[in-house]
Amino acid sequence: MRLRSGLFAFFTLAAVALAAPAVAQQTIIDEWPDTKAPPAPALKEVTVDPKTTALLLADFVKQTCNAQRRPRCLATLPAAKQLLSDARAKNMLVVHSLVAGSAIGDTLPEVAPTGDEPFVQSGPDKFINTDLEKILRDHGIKTVIVAGTAAHGAVLHTAAGAVFRGFTAIVPVDTMSAENLYVEQYVAYDLASAPVLSAGTTLTRLSMIKF
């Protein structure tokens, strides 16, 4: 009798449990309104060796850096132009990159290539389906300064691509841009906090770079 009573109680509780509505798991989408941004990552001074450092100017072309699509890119041009001038003055390797459907002649005049500066053309990660890694290895490069647009495209993925291939990356925040502040914010946070990527990346600004 006790056995029958115990079984009855067990199946009764199981039936109630199955009938009860499942509690939905909270996701970041549910908690989005309550999510607060963490403190801004610290920018760091950095001294580069011109002989083993390359400047990568990513996608400063009229198709992506314009007042209609990405006006914040235009605001970075003075800093990018100065960074390019400093790199050239130290005879650093300068590599330009393009988006699909653009040509090297589409590069904005402020940062247009001169002489025999090489360029590559690819999607967000400029190492994919290009000879960028070979160019860097052939020149004995160990560190890449990544400047350009979009922050969540070429800057983030090429900096990550460099770190994952054994290079170190330097990203000046005043030379990267996106469509809005939030995108630039999350990219800066990712570069400074993501596993592996943060260990190989220095987040800085133009005035904090010494050659």
Side-chain angles (χ1 to χ4, degrees):
M1 188 68 178
R2 289 182 179 178
L3 178 60
R4 292 179 61 186
S5 298
L7 289 174
F8 177 78
F10 172 79
F11 286 114
T12 300
L13 289 172
V16 171
L18 290 173
V23 178
Q25 179 184 353
Q26 290 290 299
T27 70
I28 185 57
I29 302 303
D30 302 304
E31 298 178 293
W32 201 283
D34 301 318
T35 303
K36 306 300 180 184
L43 301 182
K44 299 177 181 178
E45 291 189 351
V46 60
T47 300
V48 302
D49 178 359
K51 294 181 180 179
T52 60
T53 304
L55 172 61
L56 176 59
L57 295 172
D59 301 350
F60 281 109
V61 291
K62 64 183 183 181
Q63 289 87 347
T64 59
C65 189
N66 57 59
Q68 292 73 39
R69 182 172 180 181
R70 202 169 288 137
R72 292 183 61 79
C73 181
L74 298 178
T76 68
L77 283 175
K81 180 180 180 180
Q82 183 61 54
L83 181 58
L84 175 58
S85 178
D86 293 343
R88 285 172 173 165
K90 296 296 183 179
N91 295 313
M92 284 174 49
L93 173 66
V94 177
V95 183
H96 302 260
S97 78
L98 310 175
V99 297
S102 65
I104 194 62
D106 295 325
T107 307
L108 299 182
E110 292 88 342
V111 290
T114 60
D116 58 353
E117 291 173 352
F119 69 91
V120 296
Q121 190 166 25
S122 186
D125 183 347
K126 301 304 175 180
F127 286 94
I128 294 179
N129 297 324
T130 73
D131 58 354
L132 177 56
E133 184 172 3
K134 183 178 186 304
I135 292 171
L136 299 178
R137 302 282 186 205
D138 287 350
H139 285 81
I141 299 301
K142 298 179 181 179
T143 301
V144 175
I145 302 175
V146 184
T149 196
H152 52 327
V155 175
L156 174 60
H157 293 285
T158 304
V163 171
F164 297 156
R165 288 170 173 81
F167 300 95
T168 57
I170 297 171
V171 180
V173 294
D174 47 352
T175 64
M176 74 174 196
S177 61
E179 289 78 3
N180 57 63
L181 287 169
Y182 176 71
V183 172
E184 293 176 23
Q185 181 186 54
Y186 91 67
V187 170
Y189 185 75
D190 195 31
L191 290 169
S193 63
V196 181
L197 176 57
S198 61
T201 303
T202 299
L203 205 62
T204 187
R205 65 185 311 141
L206 177 61
S207 62
M208 301 174 77
I209 301 176
K210 295 179 174 59
F211 295 89

